[in-house]
Amino acid sequence: MADNREFFYRRLHSLLGVIPVGLFMTQHLVVNHFATKGEEAFNQAAGFMGSLPFVLVLETLIIFLPLLFHAIYGLYIAFTAKNNPGRFGYFRNWMFVLQRWSGVITLIFIAWHVWETRVQAALGAEVNFQMMENILDNPFMLVFYIAGVLAAIFHFANGLWSFCVSWGIAVSPRSQRIVTYATLIVFFALSYVGLSAILAFV
Amino acid sequence: MSEQKTVRFVITRQNAADSTPYEEEFELPYRPNMNVISALMEIRRNPVNRKGEKTTPINWDMNCLEEVCGACSMNINGKPRQSCTALVDQLEQPIRLAPMNTFPVVRDLQVDRSRMFDSLKRVKAWVPIDGTYDLGPGPRMPERKRQWAYELSKCMTCGVCLEACPNVNSKSNFIGPQPLSQVRLFNAHPTGAMNRDERLETIMGDGGLANCGNSQNCVQSCPKGIPLTTSIAALNREATFQSFRNFFGSDHAVD
Ligand code: HEM
Ligand code: SF4
Ligand code: FES
């Protein structure tokens, strides 16, 4: 990157990963969890989110633009690394590699997921329980959704850890270890929320 | 008499900076307490490879022979470390030696570590006290802080941490962990701290601090046990505050 912008871009990338993209993802998983309460509850919750005032502005500013920046710059970061877990098989180095792989998987999943739901909604389809039921009826798509959701959650949880280090919140080895455990809990908690929602459609 | 015990080496060699690397095998008689350098010296005395062909002696770098200069670093069985303290008895055979490819190879196992010295110049890793008149004594450093800083000052610019880092490579301009930790050292010094903001600004530039992706291989690999990732995280915190100071303006440019 030219003219000393790299620090700014990196910190922006880090911030956007948590606020707003990570927060949005968490919110999205929680709303989806209404599916476990039945078709009506889910349709009502999804309908509410879709009928928020200024929904297009909100979507653009809170989701699309930040995600686009994070994803494109994230790809650049991912492909400037020379992963070496074979030679250095330490825990954090594996997390480093998985952060990059999970980012790429997440990107593929999100692209497909947005096409299948949000873009179809813009083209006139109605996004509801029925639609998700139809998608997840296909065993291949079910596996794809589970993998995509788990990759995104891992990426967010481990990203929270690196966010804490990148901004100098967790400095000492002990504090970094405590944050590792805390983000592990985030990973399992969100995985429970996300997977139970997916399984509610099958 | 039983067969004589031998030691086998597979060495990645290269004749010049831009020639293609190749592997050559050697087999030497075992001697007790051999280390990698004494083996390389043995090959130098009698440069004959495993096939019995006469070959050229192997080039490598060394100086102190007691793990304080950092010159003799190379990849030994895949891991970067100092060859002067790599004991043959503790290594799996055949022992594979290769240059640290993060650096330009000069010949065989010898690499050019200049990039690290250039980084030290870039970040001003010294305490500036030269002037046209006597500036008098500087502020005192608390003894306990000195003891702590001593650990950071043990860096011997060996390059192991750069070799271990996945973000230091030909696709990236990252300066690596070694100069960053030195910024922490010189910013901790009471006189060095008078240029604290300058050093921070430098590492907040391109190829600097922000390129760290926290694989934390460096801290696992540093032969001097330098807390590199703690230094980096502490600098991340400093840089966060420095960026706020730069953006909003501040009365605390230095202190
Ligand atoms: C649901 C979408 C996503 C969320 C919630 C998310 C969240 C995060 C968070 C919180 C971080 C930590 C930032 C830091 O290191 O300080 C991060 C880092 C990262 N993200 Fe994402 N991300 C998402 C999508 C993506 C995508 C699509 C990519 C593209 C490959 C990507 C690539 C990366 C990379 C490479 C890092 C590591 C940066 C570093 O360590 O320097 N992310 N992400
Ligand atoms: S920080 Fe450690 S590994 Fe890195 S150059 Fe210095 S002594 Fe070598
Ligand atoms: S020769 Fe100085 S560290 Fe090995």
Side-chain angles (χ1 to χ4, degrees):
Chain A
M1 290 287 141
D3 47 284
N4 280 335
R5 290 278 179 76
E6 203 174 58
F7 182 83
F8 173 72
Y9 288 144
R10 279 279 187 151
R11 286 292 172 103
L12 184 66
H13 178 259
S14 174
L15 181 68
L16 293 181
V18 179
I19 307 166
V21 178
L23 288 184
F24 162 73
M25 189 191 77
T26 308
Q27 177 273 133
H28 188 44
L29 292 169
V30 169
V31 168
N32 291 350
H33 193 258
F34 272 108
T36 61
K37 304 279 188 307
E39 180 161 355
E40 204 177 319
F42 176 81
N43 284 344
Q44 206 179 346
F48 172 75
M49 295 310 295
S51 64
L52 285 177
F54 314 113
V55 70
L56 268 182
V57 177
L58 291 176
E59 279 178 335
T60 308
L61 292 183
I62 298 179
I63 310 170
F64 292 137
L65 291 181
L67 183 61
L68 216 55
F69 177 85
H70 183 91
I72 292 172
Y73 199 59
L75 277 181
Y76 165 76
I77 292 172
F79 286 101
T80 46
K82 220 163 132 186
N83 295 335
N84 54 15
R87 277 172 77 200
F88 304 94
Y90 310 117
F91 172 73
R92 269 291 144 214
N93 195 32
W94 270 110
M95 293 296 116
F96 175 94
V97 176
L98 291 178
Q99 184 71 6
R100 278 141 189 82
W101 289 349
S102 64
V104 174
I105 298 173
T106 305
L107 182 62
I108 297 168
F109 171 68
I110 293 179
W112 182 253
H113 177 61
V114 169
W115 162 254
E116 212 171 27
T117 56
R118 186 62 188 87
V119 174
Q120 296 309 315
L123 299 179
E126 198 187 336
V127 179
N128 55 20
F129 195 93
Q130 192 74 48
M131 177 188 220
M132 290 313 297
E133 223 172 14
N134 290 342
I135 291 175
L136 296 174
D137 206 27
N138 176 342
F140 174 80
M141 286 316 282
L142 181 63
V143 172
F144 180 64
Y145 263 72
I146 290 175
V149 166
L150 285 182
I153 292 173
F154 172 85
H155 187 86
F156 172 57
N158 190 50
L160 272 182
W161 180 88
S162 64
F163 175 88
C164 288
V165 177
S166 301
W167 289 83
I169 297 166
V171 172
S172 69
R174 185 176 159 84
S175 65
Q176 294 187 359
R177 213 171 314 127
I178 291 171
V179 175
T180 299
Y181 291 126
T183 53
L184 197 67
I185 294 172
V186 171
F187 173 73
F188 283 115
L190 285 182
S191 296
Y192 169 76
V193 176
L195 290 185
S196 50
I198 291 184
L199 296 178
F201 292 107
V202 289
Chain B
M1 267 289 279
S2 64
E3 212 180 311
Q4 208 204 350
K5 218 174 139 191
T6 59
V7 190
R8 256 180 75 203
F9 282 88
V10 180
I11 302 179
T12 304
R13 306 194 58 178
Q14 183 169 332
N15 288 335
D18 46 8
S19 56
T20 2
Y22 62 96
E23 282 188 349
E24 194 161 33
E25 289 196 33
F26 294 88
E27 189 160 2
L28 333 169
Y30 171 85
R31 277 186 291 120
N33 303 323
M34 242 180 164
N35 66 32
V36 167
I37 286 200
S38 71
L40 287 171
M41 287 172 162
E42 193 60 41
I43 295 173
R44 184 167 62 185
R45 252 190 294 279
N46 179 28
V48 173
N49 67 21
R50 192 153 176 256
K51 292 184 227 151
E53 300 159 349
K54 194 150 177 58
T55 179
T56 49
I58 293 153
N59 247 57
W60 78 96
D61 210 351
M62 64 175 167
N63 192 354
C64 70
L65 299 181
E66 55 177 354
E67 203 175 277
V68 288
C69 76
C72 67
S73 314
M74 59 183 70
N75 283 317
I76 302 175
N77 286 345
K79 286 242 166 73
R81 55 183 293 192
Q82 280 69 54
S83 48
C84 64
T85 46
L87 301 178
V88 164
D89 287 333
Q90 292 168 5
L91 293 168
E92 196 181 304
Q93 294 204 25
I95 299 170
R96 292 177 184 276
L97 307 181
M100 294 195 299
N101 270 321
T102 299
F103 300 90
V105 176
V106 177
R107 185 185 159 111
D108 295 338
L109 301 171
Q110 185 185 2
V111 296
D112 179 359
R113 293 178 299 137
S114 310
R115 60 169 290 170
M116 291 190 291
F117 303 108
D118 293 340
S119 303
L120 291 176
K121 289 179 212 160
R122 268 175 73 189
V123 303
K124 294 201 171 71
W126 60 80
V127 173
I129 50 168
D130 289 343
T132 51
Y133 62 97
D134 184 0
L135 296 169
R140 274 185 73 86
M141 189 171 197
E143 171 57 16
R144 273 187 294 163
K145 190 174 182 185
R146 186 201 63 75
Q147 282 176 12
W148 166 83
Y150 181 65
E151 296 303 318
L152 300 187
S153 77
K154 284 181 182 169
C155 175
M156 55 184 177
T157 336
C158 68
V160 163
C161 55
L162 272 72
E163 174 76 9
C165 178
N167 275 353
V168 176
N169 61 55
S170 49
K171 292 179 281 185
S172 117
N173 55 358
F174 184 30
I175 57 173
Q178 157 264 340
L180 295 175
S181 192
Q182 293 304 298
V183 167
R184 186 154 190 239
L185 171 65
F186 286 95
N187 278 0
H189 187 281
T191 308
M194 294 176 186
N195 303 73
R196 198 180 119 259
D197 54 333
E198 282 175 42
R199 293 194 195 87
L200 283 177
E201 296 289 354
T202 310
I203 60 167
M204 286 161 71
D206 290 352
L209 181 64
N211 281 270
C212 170
N214 281 296
S215 80
Q216 303 207 337
N217 285 349
C218 55
V219 75
Q220 300 274 4
S221 307
C222 173
K224 292 292 162 185
I226 295 175
L228 293 160
T229 48
T230 310
S231 288
I232 289 171
L235 289 168
N236 276 333
R237 178 181 292 185
E238 292 272 311
T240 303
F241 289 123
Q242 185 66 27
S243 64
F244 292 166
R245 283 192 286 264
N246 289 349
F247 187 78
F248 295 108
S250 166
D251 290 342
H252 299 275
V254 176
D255 62 322

